[in-house]
Amino acid sequence: MTSARSIPPHGANAATDWTNPMITPDYCRLMSRYNSWQNTSLVTAASTLDHEARWQDRGAFFGSIAATLNHLLWDDALWLERFAGNARAEETVNPTLDAPADWDGFTTLRRQRDGEIAAWAAGLKAVDVTGEVTWYPAGGTERVVKPRQLCIMHLFNHQTHHRGQVHCMLTAAGATPEATDLPMLA
């Protein structure tokens, strides 16, 4: 038997009306463009470093620039699978911090993943940002059910969070990524 976890209450305003749309397909398309722009900036800056510098442990949550970028690559794939209805995404997507270890392989996969996110966002209709997303964590039997809007917002917020870490590591390594401010998106 499985159970469903719901959003835990937090603070006085814990109740959120997830039936009232907070985001739109246009929001997703904008954030997809931002995602692609920022990933291109980071990949361009990281390309100025050698293999060892990209994999050097810099004290970040995932250690290195390359491992953090790999985390984002595979986590994006997991969320796209979940949005497509795959409740056992970890069985078809094998998230790893170690691969791809080859920079050319990574840059190719990153461009492809950004294209997948763009295609997903381009095809969204208003109904596609409502409802719930259901999945089982890797090896888990406890079903997780969350509002689709929350999961979509998480996809983009999570990317921004870890790209900020990579931006900081790149800057400390002497590389120069572009600005990260959303209003600067062309």
Side-chain angles (χ1 to χ4, degrees):
M1 180 172 183
T2 61
S3 63
R5 286 191 284 179
S6 62
I7 299 171
H10 183 74
N13 296 322
T16 299
D17 179 7
W18 292 105
T19 61
N20 198 5
M22 294 178 59
I23 63 170
T24 66
D26 284 338
Y27 163 84
C28 297
R29 288 186 272 279
L30 173 66
M31 294 308 294
S32 171
R33 284 183 45 228
Y34 178 70
N35 169 65
S36 182
W37 170 51
Q38 286 299 296
N39 284 334
T40 298
S41 168
L42 296 182
V43 166
T44 300
S47 292
T48 66
L49 304 176
D50 63 20
H51 178 83
E52 290 74 25
R54 285 191 294 269
W55 284 97
Q56 178 183 339
D57 188 334
R58 298 180 182 276
F61 188 80
F62 294 109
S64 69
I65 292 165
T68 304
L69 289 172
N70 280 340
H71 167 69
L72 278 173
L73 179 73
W74 297 117
D75 201 64
D76 288 351
L78 287 172
W79 281 108
L80 288 175
E81 284 289 315
R82 290 173 184 152
F83 295 152
N86 183 352
R88 299 239 183 233
E90 283 86 352
E91 293 177 6
T92 55
V93 175
N94 184 21
T96 176
L97 299 178
D98 299 328
D102 163 55
W103 187 244
D104 289 336
F106 170 80
T107 60
T108 297
L109 284 173
R110 183 70 264 176
R111 277 191 306 275
Q112 288 173 349
R113 186 80 71 242
D114 288 345
E116 292 166 5
I117 293 169
W120 165 78
L124 289 175
K125 297 175 182 62
V127 69
D128 298 325
V129 298
T130 62
E132 297 175 328
V133 177
T134 301
W135 73 93
Y136 294 85
T141 58
E142 187 176 343
R143 182 171 58 113
V144 180
V145 179
K146 299 288 182 179
R148 183 170 297 270
Q149 295 178 74
L150 177 68
C151 294
I152 291 170
M153 288 185 292
H154 169 74
L155 167 73
F156 295 119
N157 187 61
H158 179 256
Q159 293 167 341
T160 300
H161 165 69
H162 287 300
R163 279 195 309 259
Q165 293 172 331
V166 172
H167 193 285
C168 182
M169 289 186 280
L170 285 168
T171 302
T176 310
E178 293 182 46
T180 60
D181 296 334
L182 186 58
M184 303 307 291
L185 177 64

